[in-house]
Amino acid sequence: MENMTLRVNIEGREEKVDTDWFAIMATLKKRGVDCDSLQRIHAELNAGLKVTTRRLTLAKLHQDMNLASIIREVGTYLGDAQGI
């Protein structure tokens, strides 16, 4: 399993922290998650899914995601003001 950057939320808290898979894997092992479950969680995270287990919500952090074509600035279109 390769390492990846994760965004983690602890159940019942608003704060989110960024960490990596190896750190979370060690924590999950301490909380009793077996090897097969760890592999399944890793695969689900790689597929872009959010995973909730052992009071943690995990999501893969995509630092290179370009939102320019998804998010647009909200404003007045000049054509609307000119009656076009």
Side-chain angles (χ1 to χ4, degrees):
M1 290 181 273
E2 79 275 353
N3 204 6
M4 67 179 102
T5 306
L6 299 173
R7 170 114 343 131
V8 180
N9 177 259
I10 300 172
E11 186 178 303
R13 296 192 183 184
E14 293 294 320
E15 304 88 30
K16 294 178 174 74
V17 295
D18 295 343
T19 187
D20 62 43
W21 169 249
F22 292 148
I24 290 298
M25 184 173 65
T27 300
L28 292 175
K29 281 182 179 180
K30 287 179 187 175
R31 293 183 181 190
V33 178
D34 62 26
C35 191
D36 290 337
S37 295
L38 287 171
Q39 289 178 345
R40 181 188 49 78
I41 292 167
H42 188 270
E44 290 174 354
L45 290 168
N46 265 331
L49 300 174
K50 280 187 180 178
V51 178
T52 301
T53 183
R54 303 299 197 272
R55 300 180 49 99
L56 298 172
T57 300
L58 314 169
K60 185 174 180 181
L61 186 62
H62 297 281
Q63 296 172 340
D64 59 336
M65 184 182 291
N66 183 6
L67 300 178
S69 63
I70 299 171
I71 299 174
R72 63 179 174 85
E73 187 174 327
V74 177
T76 305
Y77 174 63
L78 291 177
D80 291 340
Q82 298 171 353
I84 299 175

